[in-house]
Amino acid sequence: MTENAAVAEAEALVAEAAGNDDGGSADGPKFTLELNQDQKDIREWVHGFAENVVRPAAEEWDEREETPWPVIQEAAKIGLYSFEALGQFWSDETGLTLPIANEELFWGDAGIGMAIMGTSLAVAAIFGQGTPEQMGEWIPRCFGSADDPKVAAFCASEPDAGSDVSAIRTTAKYDEATDEWVINGQKAWATNGGIADVHVVIASVDRELRSRGHAAFVIPPGTKGCEQGAKVKKHGLRASHTADVHLDDCRVPGACLLGGKEKLDERLARVREGKRSKSQAAMQTFEASRPTVGAQALGIARAAYEYSLEYAKERKQFGRAIIENQAIAFTLADMKLEIDAARLLVWRAAWMGRTGQKFENAEGSMSKLKAGEVAVWSTERAIQILGGNGYTREYPVERMHRDAKIYTIFEGTSEIQRLVISRAISGVHVQ
Ligand SMILES: Cc1cc2nc3c(=O)[nH]c(=O)nc-3n(C[C@H](O)[C@H](O)[C@H](O)COP(=O)(O)OP(=O)(O)OC[C@H]3O[C@@H](n4cnc5c(N)ncnc54)[C@H](O)[C@@H]3O)c2cc1C
């Protein structure tokens, strides 16, 4: 390009920008991090519920280690716990409303937050793999009604299959005579396992194919052979029920196979012929759901940061507020910095997932990894800032720290996220 041509092009660009009221271009809206009115309204709505209903109940349900049904009912009554609300969060074309709503709710309390949001794991599986009829039938049943709310469970993990999902032993065999699937196995650590109306279970229909031989099944409420096993006593997230689920000759109608048998048979045939499976598509789905989990961790981190900031301004030692010491003030500065950096990664990945961008560098994993680690670090720092008080159950930051830790473990441990990122950036099958 000659110098004159370059100048002319630059002038044209400046003129175009100046003449464009919204600063956008023909290719789409300009880059902005400013939230629109809908996003702000939803953030305020969820924040209000988190502040007025969730927070005051947090300590009680953490101590009781029980599902906070009255709080779920309150959420259902105002429409926050419903498939309509989840649909509304999801439908935002920028992808930001879902993480924003999660951050606010988990800012209130993560245990109760998970009691409310745990259902969405099963909903996501039905939404991602079900036919339109299956979605219409099962997604509303995951929530029940405002007067009689229900929860749902997503059961993939097993005692010997956590990070290595391909090691799943639960089997599903088709009984042609009755058009039923017979499911046998044991699921571990299922959020809402056994207390759910709807369980979505991942089972192997062909063990030789490992993860490519897996399928997802809906277990309708009251199905014989689907029983809760041991309830897990946990370090944190104690208002959220976690339990084993036993499946003993559990028979479900053929129509409970998500996606339908024809699609499954076609997929298995392709895999057996040695053709590539759609593992890449599955990977993309995981990448797309991870920012939501990251946003939950962000909510915990922010709550701990805000609490310790206020405390540091109030608490006096050596005749001055402890925040006047750089050691404390710099820690709080770093907490704010890390939380904001994590939020940018979460929002980027959420936006990429919703707008169909390809996750070239495992950006979804990056967001969950960063937010989970920031939550653990920030809540630990918050305890330090509160000193002895931070270590007691009289103050909320120790609970936040216990709650935060799960975010480096479930939905893919930090090591697994690093594995996914390192493979994505290098193309090398890093072990
Ligand atoms: C509170 C809670 C709720 C849960 N909810 C659900 C749920 O609703 N549904 C569900 O299906 N599951 C659920 N889980 C299970 C959760 O997803 C698993 O615990 C998680 O995937 C890790 O598996 P694991 O516990 O078997 O750990 P392991 O896989 O045994 O890992 C142990 C350690 O080894 C490391 N490791 C393993 N493989 C590698 C590797 N290749 N390279 C480097 N390091 C490695 C891990 O990072 C980890 O540090 C829940 C768990 C908890 C605690």
Side-chain angles (χ1 to χ4, degrees):
M1 190 187 284
T2 64
E3 197 180 315
N4 279 349
V7 170
E9 187 175 278
E11 282 175 347
L13 283 171
V14 170
E16 188 186 281
N20 197 334
D21 282 347
D22 65 5
S25 70
D27 297 324
K30 67 173 182 180
F31 173 78
T32 177
L33 286 170
E34 196 181 342
L35 301 182
N36 63 37
Q37 199 52 46
D38 280 352
Q39 292 163 336
K40 286 182 190 162
D41 290 346
I42 288 176
R43 183 174 64 180
E44 212 172 295
W45 179 51
V46 181
H47 186 83
F49 184 77
E51 186 167 28
N52 300 318
V53 182
V54 173
R55 276 223 168 157
E59 186 189 353
E60 176 191 345
W61 293 99
D62 175 61
E63 291 292 340
R64 285 171 66 162
E65 293 194 52
E66 287 170 11
T67 301
W69 285 108
V71 185
I72 296 176
Q73 192 141 20
E74 289 279 305
K77 280 214 174 96
I78 64 160
L80 175 55
Y81 183 70
S82 67
F83 71 95
E84 289 89 352
L86 200 60
Q88 192 191 358
F89 299 161
W90 169 249
S91 65
D92 173 3
E93 288 175 353
T94 72
L96 296 194
T97 299
L98 197 56
I100 286 170
N102 273 273
E103 180 179 335
E104 294 312 314
L105 186 63
F106 283 68
W107 170 89
D109 178 62
I112 295 177
M114 187 51 71
I116 291 171
M117 281 294 175
T119 293
S120 60
L121 290 172
V123 171
I126 299 169
F127 184 71
Q129 297 179 53
T131 61
E133 295 73 40
Q134 288 170 326
M135 288 183 215
E137 179 171 7
W138 295 111
I139 293 181
R141 293 184 74 175
C142 288
F143 292 94
S145 64
D147 292 330
D148 187 18
K150 306 287 182 199
V151 292
F154 175 73
C155 312
S157 304
E158 298 183 357
D160 294 320
S163 300
D164 182 8
V165 182
S166 69
I168 280 176
R169 286 165 185 264
T170 296
T171 56
K173 292 202 164 41
Y174 186 59
D175 182 345
E176 211 152 353
T178 58
D179 182 28
E180 286 175 320
W181 287 93
V182 187
I183 305 176
N184 277 289
Q186 182 185 342
K187 293 296 175 182
W189 304 296
T191 300
N192 297 334
I195 63 165
D197 252 40
V198 173
H199 289 78
V200 174
V201 166
I202 306 298
S204 174
V205 292
D206 185 338
R207 292 215 28 211
E208 278 180 22
L209 301 181
R210 296 185 59 83
S211 57
R212 290 178 304 169
H214 291 175
F217 298 85
V218 167
I219 315 286
T223 302
K224 233 177 110 203
C226 175
E227 301 284 342
Q228 181 184 313
K231 179 179 168 181
V232 182
K233 288 188 170 185
K234 304 195 299 290
H235 179 61
L237 230 58
R238 300 196 308 179
S240 164
H241 171 101
T242 313
D244 286 358
V245 174
H246 296 282
L247 299 146
D248 297 315
D249 284 334
C250 178
R251 285 181 168 266
V252 297
C256 287
L257 165 65
L258 289 176
K261 187 149 184 328
E262 204 176 309
K263 210 167 146 201
L264 173 71
D265 288 342
E266 276 172 23
R267 175 162 64 86
L268 294 180
R270 265 201 319 272
V271 174
R272 288 185 191 117
E273 279 170 24
K275 292 192 182 146
R276 280 178 68 84
S277 77
K278 290 193 178 160
S279 61
Q280 189 56 35
M283 214 54 231
Q284 292 283 316
T285 312
F286 272 135
E287 285 295 297
S289 68
R290 282 178 177 149
T292 307
V293 181
Q296 298 173 356
L298 264 181
I300 308 173
R302 198 182 100 214
Y305 158 72
E306 288 175 4
Y307 197 93
S308 48
L309 175 62
E310 287 312 307
Y311 186 93
K313 288 184 194 165
E314 295 290 322
R315 174 73 173 165
K316 290 197 170 54
Q317 289 292 284
F318 301 100
R320 58 177 184 268
I322 60 169
I323 199 168
E324 289 177 39
N325 303 298
Q326 284 191 356
I328 300 292
F330 284 12
T331 301
L332 284 157
D334 283 344
M335 285 163 82
K336 175 69 175 151
L337 173 76
E338 290 292 317
I339 291 166
D340 282 8
R343 186 180 299 103
L344 287 173
L345 287 179
V346 165
W347 284 13
R348 177 180 72 169
W351 169 77
M352 288 178 76
R354 189 67 182 89
T355 55
Q357 321 279 324
K358 204 160 185 284
F359 291 108
E360 301 277 1
N361 300 297
E363 288 85 350
S365 290
M366 282 189 202
S367 70
K368 193 263 178 187
L369 171 62
K370 179 72 179 170
E373 298 202 336
V374 165
V376 173
W377 178 78
S378 302
T379 51
E380 194 270 340
R381 288 290 89 194
I383 294 178
Q384 193 67 21
I385 292 170
L386 266 72
N389 283 334
Y391 195 67
T392 72
R393 293 202 177 187
E394 303 298 313
Y395 288 78
V397 293
E398 68 80 33
R399 184 179 67 247
M400 293 169 186
H401 186 50
R402 287 187 283 109
D403 291 344
K405 185 57 198 158
I406 191 60
Y407 286 87
T408 63
I409 298 172
F410 69 5
E411 293 275 325
T413 64
S414 287
E415 291 78 10
I416 295 301
Q417 308 300 345
R418 287 193 166 84
L419 200 65
V420 173
I421 298 164
S422 57
R423 284 178 183 172
I425 59 171
S426 67
V428 173
H429 194 74
V430 181
Q431 297 288 327

